[in-house]
Amino acid sequence: MADAVIPAAVLRNLSDKLYEKRKNAALEVEGIVKSLAAAGDHEKISMVINLLTYEFISSVQANHRKGGLIGLAAATVGLTTEAAQHLNQIVEPVLDSFGDPDSRVRYYACEALYNIAKVVRGDFIVFFNRIFDALCKLSADSDPNVQSAAHLLDRLVKDIVTESDQFSIEEFIPLLRERMNVLNPYVRQFLVGWITVLDSVPDIDMLGFLPDFLDGLFNMLSDSSHEIRQQADSALSEFLQEIKNSPSVDYGRMAEILVQRAASVDEFTRLTAITWINEFVKLGGEQLVPYYADILGAILPCISDKEEKIRVVARETNEELRAIKADPAEGFDVAAILSIAKRQLSSEWEATRIEALHWISTLLNGYRIEVLSFLNDIFDTLLKALSDPSDEVVLLVLEVHACIAKDQQHFRQLVVFLVHNFRNDHSLLEKRGALIIRRLCVLLDAERIYRELSTILEGEADLDFASIMVQALNLILLTSSELAELRDLLKQSLVNSAGKDLFVSLYASWCHSPEAIISLCLLAQTYQHASTVIQSLVEEDINVKFLVQLDKLIRLLETPIFAYLRLQLLEPGRYTWLLKALYGLLMLLPQQSASFKMLRTRLKTVPSYSFSGDQVKRTSSGNPYSQILHHIPCGSQISEDGDVNQDVGTSNLHNGINFTSRLHQFAQMQRQHRMHAKVQAQSGNSSASSSKDVQRSEESGHRLPLGNSEPPSRSSRKGPGQLQL
């Protein structure tokens, strides 16, 4: 029937290999269809369209397919305003031809659809999604002519969409989102072009659907093509400006995307993402509260970025975020932020670790109760941070610890864990021990810190560690400016109850180290007890380690800290026990050592005059010490230097300090250390000869002097706890 409508010659020419013949045949078809449309014979028009579809477009011959496509376009032109009735019948076979294996057929399909679209305009919108899908594929066609034709068709379709009120953005977005992850550069250009065009249409709310394709746009920022990167950046900049001017934006969904993109390996992508996050933090307000932790997780690594621009924006964003006051009741997740800060404490970058600590400190100040409830989750990490190679990080960690330790329970926990860390990592004690202890003494009460450490170390099972730790604490006590008040308090041990209590408290753990005890006694001016301790030492105590520590003490005696002690040597008659203690130390040192020569030189400077009130006594001997006791009045007892007391019963109990009991305490602790050394020797940690020496010392039942209440007399210069002159 359709053959009767269209002459056979026209049909032959429509499938001819020559373009001109096909074109002329198409014009004949256009005229025929126009006549049928004028007559209102739509049945015959449908027959013509079916003929062109099934006899030509479905043919295996390429020229037939080309002719069929030209014929359908011509039929549409002939229908003009009547085309809408047959549009589905016409467009479907043309769209199917976009996938034809012959590039020329695909080209004619683009041309045909272009001509059809020009005729039907807005009625064309119902096919938009299928047309968009086809154009998306053709934009990456292998034939440049097909690409060119597709671009022409694309521009026409964009014009139709922008002027149409039937376009459905809701139906289009899923298709756009599906295509956004395509890597082909031509497809990417095509997609960015459509996003830009649709965003320019006032009646189309692309901003509301931005979260659906935002990730795809950020993907394009790292494209190898400069043009694509530029187009994507331009589109993103336009959207960001719209966000700033819009009263209602879905910040949450986009924040999740930005957080991921802030960790991109591409520098430009990171910069754009962190810039967006910066604007979101400023604009988002309460909407972003549930996403604070994720945002912080993106910001902290960028603070240490190799690119300065990124670092600057990240720092600004970090400060903006930290300044916002949020309520946990409104979704502010303290635990999540703590978790992020904890994770970033392991960052390889110092700046990031520092900011993570600032966040923990901020949370402690603003949400103390909540933070302490999660303390077990972060405490170990905070303790490990004390080993950080950066001093600034360590100092900040200590500030955080000090803030936590305001409560007694957490104070005790901090000190216990600190000792535990020092025990497990001796290098931490060696490299950072002084810094940590000194800083904690500033942030918290120095006396409180030292009392707690002493209590813990008194019962320490690892005797070797206890000795090392006490020696370290003692050195800090003697040398640190931060502990000046503590030293002043100890100097008053014999006259002040607070000083006495501190002395007794430290004494218990200082017993782990003979050198530390001697130092403590010299600092507290309990010189008689220092002398007694020195004489209580046995041969096993005087080893290389002891001599090394003793050398340090001798050198410390020459520092300004012990200036008061050296000045007391101006009155040898009054400070007899000090002189005796120093001579005791001298006798323990090897004569060829530098410390021996240093101390001997100092003792040689002790004047031969004993200044006591208005009386000046001069000794006849070149050794002033040998004559000092000769001038002590008969019947007097010296309990401590500078205090001549007639009551013998108080000689071992001064200001409530029972020195006899303290000496027992020291002796017992040193006995434990010797037994420990013996066990180590027997297990092969020391030589067999050392093992035998320790055993002989233990079997000898060596008795430590428990007091020194009897002063030397003219008739006898020997007595328990006294030097032999």
Side-chain angles (χ1 to χ4, degrees), residues 36 51 121 153 217 237 422 449 565 687 699 712:
L36 293 173
L51 173 67
R121 302 299 290 186
L153 175 60
L217 281 176
S237 298
F422 285 149
I449 290 288
L565 182 148
S687 65
E699 291 174 351

Side-chain angles (χ1 to χ4, degrees), residues 590-607:
Q591 289 191 24
Q592 300 305 315
S593 66
S595 52
F596 176 88
K597 297 173 183 177
M598 186 184 301
L599 181 56
R600 183 179 62 178
T601 301
R602 172 62 62 184
L603 290 173
K604 283 183 177 180
T605 64
V606 175

Side-chain angles (χ1 to χ4, degrees), residues 538-541 674-675 678 690-703:
V538 297
E539 60 181 288
E540 290 89 348
D541 298 328
R674 286 193 292 272
M675 288 297 294
K678 179 180 178 181
S690 296
S691 176
K692 292 179 181 179
D693 290 342
V694 172
Q695 185 175 6
R696 282 198 300 270
S697 175
E698 289 298 322
E699 291 174 351
S700 68
H702 180 83
R703 295 183 179 179

Side-chain angles (χ1 to χ4, degrees), residues 508-533:
S509 59
W510 259 236
C511 286
H512 283 293
S513 168
E515 305 88 341
I517 279 290
I518 296 169
S519 301
L520 182 65
C521 291
L522 293 178
L523 186 61
Q525 303 187 70
T526 57
Y527 300 135
Q528 181 181 5
H529 189 66
S531 177
T532 305
V533 167

Side-chain angles (χ1 to χ4, degrees), residues 393-453:
V393 171
V394 173
L395 292 174
L396 284 172
V397 172
L398 291 172
E399 287 186 16
V400 171
H401 278 301
C403 186
I404 294 172
K406 289 178 181 177
D407 303 330
Q408 178 57 35
Q409 171 194 351
H410 297 119
F411 174 81
R412 170 74 179 179
Q413 188 180 13
L414 167 63
V415 181
V416 168
F417 273 95
L418 189 60
V419 172
H420 174 75
N421 272 22
F422 285 149
R423 183 190 304 111
N424 292 338
D425 184 4
H426 285 195
S427 65
L428 175 63
L429 177 60
E430 179 183 348
K431 297 176 182 177
R432 288 291 172 74
L435 175 66
I436 292 170
I437 298 300
R438 290 171 60 185
R439 189 59 183 165
L440 282 179
C441 286
V442 172
L443 296 170
L444 300 169
D445 182 59
E447 182 178 350
R448 187 182 177 199
I449 290 288
Y450 262 72
R451 282 179 179 272
E452 193 67 39
L453 285 169

Side-chain angles (χ1 to χ4, degrees), residues 479-691:
T479 59
S480 300
S481 58
E482 296 88 345
L483 275 71
E485 292 185 7
L486 207 61
R487 291 195 294 272
D488 290 340
L489 185 59
L490 282 169
K491 289 176 185 177
Q492 303 175 48
S493 297
L494 296 177
V495 296
N496 182 291
S497 60
K500 176 208 72 174
D501 290 342
L502 178 59
F503 175 81
V504 173
S505 175
L506 297 185
Y507 193 100
S509 59
W510 259 236
C511 286
H512 283 293
S513 168
E515 305 88 341
I517 279 290
I518 296 169
S519 301
L520 182 65
C521 291
L522 293 178
L523 186 61
Q525 303 187 70
T526 57
Y527 300 135
Q528 181 181 5
H529 189 66
S531 177
T532 305
V533 167
I534 292 169
Q535 293 188 71
S536 73
L537 299 174
V538 297
E539 60 181 288
E540 290 89 348
D541 298 328
I542 306 172
N543 50 36
V544 174
K545 292 181 180 179
F546 173 86
L547 293 175
V548 169
Q549 293 300 316
L550 189 55
D551 178 78
K552 292 180 180 179
L553 174 58
I554 300 305
R555 295 179 186 278
L556 282 173
L557 291 177
E558 297 298 318
T559 64
I561 291 172
F562 281 106
Y564 71 93
L565 182 148
R566 298 195 299 274
L567 290 173
Q568 288 172 350
L569 292 175
L570 289 172
E571 301 182 74
R574 182 179 179 187
Y575 293 97
T576 307
W577 291 112
L578 168 59
L579 199 57
K580 187 173 182 180
L582 294 180
Y583 267 101
L585 295 177
L586 185 68
M587 297 307 166
L588 295 177
L589 290 166
Q591 289 191 24
Q592 300 305 315
S593 66
S595 52
F596 176 88
K597 297 173 183 177
M598 186 184 301
L599 181 56
R600 183 179 62 178
T601 301
R602 172 62 62 184
L603 290 173
K604 283 183 177 180
T605 64
V606 175
S608 57
Y609 293 94
S610 178
F611 302 96
S612 179
D614 296 329
Q615 182 183 15
V616 179
K617 300 179 180 179
R618 181 184 181 94
T619 61
S620 58
S621 170
N623 182 355
Y625 177 68
S626 65
Q627 301 295 327
I628 288 169
L629 295 183
H630 179 74
H631 296 286
I632 298 176
C634 274
S636 296
Q637 299 289 335
I638 303 176
S639 60
E640 282 295 342
D641 281 348
D643 180 18
V644 180
N645 196 311
Q646 300 296 327
D647 186 358
V648 179
T650 64
S651 60
N652 282 317
L653 188 63
H654 193 93
N655 192 28
I657 302 177
N658 190 330
F659 287 107
T660 300
S661 176
R662 299 283 77 77
L663 191 60
H664 275 295
Q665 192 175 22
F666 173 73
Q668 185 177 4
M669 184 64 74
Q670 287 306 301
R671 190 175 294 113
Q672 291 180 28
H673 277 269
R674 286 193 292 272
M675 288 297 294
H676 174 68
K678 179 180 178 181
V679 170
Q680 284 188 321
Q682 290 176 342
S683 64
N685 290 334
S686 60
S687 65
S689 61
S690 296
S691 176

